[in-house]
């Protein structure tokens, strides 16, 4: 991935004087390759490079004339910021991610690109959830839940089953975190329902790693519920 990213960077530099649009495409491919290198290999430096590349792409897009392309670059930038921020103790990168996703949503309205809008809502909700985990209050967590629910209101399961399942999984995580901080079990029950819904599409044969991740999340929620109940069924 790192080697591919370097080659895309070189291609962007070569194309820039002759074909700016092709250069942007290569720079976007470099940014994505650096992101995957960082995410998959735990490479913070690669994520920093990806962030710089996506910022460069967004800066070269005209928001008024290329709103959807600009929003796509912002969405990808937000994902890189979220991943890096989740590895760091502070919240600066996560706050930047939230602001970036909000900007993307403003540039790409729901009516014009509903699937892009829903995916960005899911990404925004995930960043809010991580922030909420690090704060004593619940405002960010409540906002994350509302954001995931907004995304699900647009995502059609038959048309985008894995996006739908990912958002259900993330909704379950946010509800679980809220449920841990409350005395009752309503949020935990809702979390289990959302996670089990995700498993309807996160099939073991189809996406084994996602299936395992969601099974683990279900187990944690059931364990929390079992701690609060007299029986042993959970």
């Amino acid at each position: 991935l790192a080697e591919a990213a370097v080659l895309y960077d070189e291609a962007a530099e070569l194309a820039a004087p002759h074909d700016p649009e092709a250069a942007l495409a290569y720079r976007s491919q470099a940014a994505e390759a650096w992101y995957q290198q960082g995410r998959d290999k735990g490479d913070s430096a690669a994520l920093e490079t990806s962030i710089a590349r996506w910022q460069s792409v967004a800066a070269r897009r005209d928001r008024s004339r290329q709103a959807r392309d600009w929003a796509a670059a912002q969405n990808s930038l937000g994902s890189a910021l979220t991943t890096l921020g989740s590895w760091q103790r502070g919240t600066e990168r996560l706050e930047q991610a939230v602001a970036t996703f909000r900007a993307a949503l403003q540039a790409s309205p729901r009516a014009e690109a509903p699937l892009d809008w829903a995916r960005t809502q899911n990404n925004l909700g995930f960043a809010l959830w991580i922030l909420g985990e690090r704060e004593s209050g619940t405002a960010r967590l409540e906002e994350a839940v509302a954001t995931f629910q907004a995304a699900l209101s647009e995502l059609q399961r038959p048309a985008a089953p894995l996006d739908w399942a990912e958002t259900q999984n993330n909704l379950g995580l946010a509800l679980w975190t809220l449920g841990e901080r409350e005395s009752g079990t309503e949020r935990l029950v809702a979390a289990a329902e959302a996670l089990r819904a995700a498993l309807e599409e996160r099939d073991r044969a189809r996406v084994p790693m996602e299936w395992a991740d969601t099974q683990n999340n279900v187990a944690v929620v059931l364990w929390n519920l079992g701690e609060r109940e007299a029986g042993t069924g959970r």
Side-chain angles (χ1 to χ4, degrees):
L1 285 167
E3 185 179 357
V6 169
L7 292 171
Y8 283 130
D9 278 334
E10 291 176 1
E13 292 303 317
L14 290 167
H18 313 289
D19 190 341
E21 195 61 33
L24 273 179
Y26 291 138
R27 193 168 279 110
S28 296
Q29 289 170 304
E32 182 60 24
W34 283 121
Y35 170 66
Q36 291 180 27
Q37 167 71 15
R39 180 196 62 192
D40 298 347
K41 305 297 183 182
D43 187 341
S44 296
L47 283 177
E48 293 283 7
T49 304
S50 176
I51 288 166
R53 296 294 182 276
W54 282 123
Q55 288 172 332
S56 175
V57 171
R60 286 171 168 79
R61 293 290 186 191
D62 186 325
R63 180 175 177 177
S64 61
R65 294 189 301 104
Q66 300 172 301
R68 191 167 181 179
D69 290 332
W70 184 87
Q74 291 287 342
N75 184 55
S76 296
L77 169 60
S79 294
L81 288 165
T82 301
T83 302
L84 187 59
S86 70
W87 298 350
Q88 298 175 339
R89 289 188 176 182
T91 61
E92 181 182 0
R93 292 295 193 182
L94 293 170
E95 295 284 5
Q96 290 173 352
V98 167
T100 300
F101 289 133
R102 292 195 198 283
L105 288 168
Q106 290 177 354
S108 184
R110 180 175 183 173
E112 294 179 10
L115 185 56
D116 291 344
W117 179 88
R119 286 171 173 161
T120 305
Q121 287 280 8
N122 175 60
N123 293 340
L124 170 60
F126 193 74
L128 288 166
W129 169 63
I130 299 174
L131 278 169
E133 282 194 305
R134 299 182 181 185
E135 298 173 349
S136 58
T138 60
R140 301 273 200 177
L141 295 172
E142 294 284 5
E143 187 178 2
V145 168
T147 303
F148 290 133
Q149 289 171 335
L152 288 168
S153 72
E154 187 60 60
L155 284 171
Q156 300 300 313
R157 179 178 172 182
L162 293 181
D163 288 302
W164 178 87
E166 179 185 350
T167 307
Q168 288 283 4
N169 177 77
N170 293 342
L171 172 61
L173 291 174
L175 288 166
W176 162 61
T177 307
L178 276 170
E180 280 191 307
R181 300 183 184 184
E182 298 173 349
S183 58
T185 61
E186 182 180 356
R187 299 278 200 172
L188 293 175
V189 170
E193 291 174 354
L195 291 166
R196 283 174 166 152
L199 286 171
E200 293 174 13
E201 290 295 343
R202 285 190 161 184
D203 180 81
R204 181 175 185 174
R206 185 184 191 185
V207 283
M209 293 301 294
E210 288 82 355
W211 174 86
D213 181 56
T214 306
Q215 286 281 11
N216 180 72
N217 295 338
V218 172
V220 171
V221 172
L222 291 173
W223 169 57
N224 285 159
L225 278 167
E227 284 189 306
R228 300 183 184 187
E229 297 174 350
T232 60
R234 301 285 192 179

